Amino acid sequence: MRKPIIAGNWKMYKTLKEAEELVSSLKRQVYDVTDVDIVVCPPYTALSYVADMLEDGNIALGAQDTHWEEEGAWTGEVSAGMLKDAGCLYVIIGHSERRQFFSETDEGVNKKIKAALKNSLIPIVCVGENLNQREKSLTFDIIKEQLTGAFKNINSEEIEKIILAYEPVWAIGTGKVATPQQAQEVHKYIRDWLAKNYGEQASRQIRIQYGGSVKPDNIAGLMLEEDIDGALVGGASLKADSFGAIVINSRKKG
Ligand code: PGA
């Protein structure tokens, strides 16, 4: 069985003091959880500070993006090696806000995945359609295009290290969560795509998170679906109570 993974994407929120409050309270809430992988993704400025707070615990650290080069004259950017050095184990790649507001392309996503893997970071690769695309019944076409672009020249050994996140853009930060059935349908599509391109074993093993308005009261319903293995949480990850409750309610039954 795939172990659930719940990741909190803090986006551009939290000063060091606020990060400290959130993490210390979260640690108290989830200290005994061992059957869910728990990840927090603070902004760059708080990474190494939070890393110190998480040492030897059951919460791992992730970043929200990376550059694809090791180092160089790239003002404002941060490399995967630097993220590793700051204590990260995970990195979110291809979030829809990066794609939408910072012109991130599938080609860029592909280069970033390679950089992350090279530095032993686990990429959380986001895919998802926007409302217009869904209304035109283009969801599967868009997902296929994003998967094909993201995983170009990624081999089967590498793909097994990756986490996927299906995040319908119309559900992010809108309060409009996809129904478990709507999400499952796309998760199944992604898993079938993985099977076709990388074989049954890889497709059975890879975890696929759902993201978009996940809250403590809708996570359990989502987790009941066969191909949903966790969540990438934005807004509800900013409070220890709600994020802790999502972690607890994500435990797979049966
Ligand atoms: P949300 O964000 O939970 O606030 O909808 C999800 C995300 O952007 O990963």
Side-chain angles (χ1 to χ4, degrees):
M1 203 166 81
R2 294 178 295 269
K3 187 177 182 184
I5 174 164
I6 303 292
N9 173 9
W10 295 4
K11 307 192 179 181
M12 200 172 72
Y13 290 98
K14 305 292 176 189
T15 61
L16 293 187
K17 188 166 176 294
E18 290 163 346
E20 181 173 356
E21 282 164 12
L22 171 53
V23 171
S24 42
S25 166
L26 182 64
K27 277 166 75 175
R28 281 195 296 276
Q29 298 202 26
V30 301
Y31 75 95
D32 61 346
V33 175
T34 53
D35 52 352
V36 178
D37 283 334
I38 310 167
V39 186
V40 292
C41 304
Y44 291 134
T45 47
L47 284 177
S48 87
Y49 188 76
V50 171
D52 287 346
M53 293 188 74
L54 297 180
E55 218 171 326
D56 300 326
N58 60 342
I59 306 174
L61 187 70
Q64 300 174 18
D65 191 19
T66 181
H67 195 266
W68 55 79
E69 292 288 347
E70 276 303 313
E71 58 180 15
W74 298 96
T75 303
E77 293 291 321
V78 174
S79 75
M82 292 168 180
L83 298 176
K84 187 78 193 167
D85 187 46
C88 291
L89 180 59
Y90 295 85
V91 57
I92 299 170
I93 295 177
H95 189 278
S96 67
E97 284 151 18
R98 302 294 321 168
R99 294 177 188 259
Q100 192 178 346
F101 303 119
F102 300 93
S103 313
E104 179 115 319
T105 61
D106 290 327
E107 195 191 343
V109 169
N110 178 251
K111 290 200 277 188
K112 290 178 177 190
I113 293 172
K114 288 178 182 161
L117 290 172
K118 202 167 150 207
N119 286 280
S120 307
L121 289 172
I122 302 171
I124 299 178
V125 181
C126 304
V127 296
E129 81 289 2
N130 64 32
L131 186 58
N132 186 27
Q133 292 159 339
R134 173 159 282 260
E135 283 172 348
K136 288 189 179 141
S137 301
L138 291 173
T139 300
F140 293 144
D141 296 325
I142 295 297
I143 300 294
K144 185 175 174 186
E145 189 180 306
Q146 290 175 340
L147 292 171
T148 308
F151 299 132
K152 190 168 170 211
N153 297 326
I154 299 285
N155 64 36
S156 25
E157 203 182 306
E158 291 166 328
I159 198 90
E160 291 189 11
K161 302 194 175 111
I162 282 163
I163 311 271
L164 271 151
Y166 167 56
E167 298 209 303
V169 179
W170 48 272
I172 295 179
T174 58
K176 257 194 248 160
V177 64
T179 64
Q181 294 70 29
Q182 278 175 323
Q184 166 60 23
E185 186 183 46
V186 181
H187 281 234
K188 167 108 178 44
Y189 179 85
I190 294 172
R191 206 173 296 289
D192 289 347
W193 184 92
L194 289 168
K196 202 163 127 210
N197 289 277
Y198 291 99
E200 278 298 327
Q201 194 202 310
S203 106
R204 265 200 305 272
Q205 184 183 316
I206 294 168
R207 291 179 290 179
I208 310 173
Q209 298 176 308
Y210 167 79
S213 299
V214 171
K215 302 280 179 296
D217 62 1
N218 60 29
I219 183 68
L222 289 159
M223 293 302 288
L224 285 175
E225 298 296 333
E226 191 179 337
D227 292 300
I228 301 183
D229 308 313
L232 182 53
V233 185
S237 73
L238 298 175
K239 290 215 168 77
D241 284 354
S242 49
F243 191 63
I246 290 172
V247 169
I248 306 292
N249 296 347
S250 73
R251 289 165 146 170
K252 282 263 187 195
K253 295 157 198 75

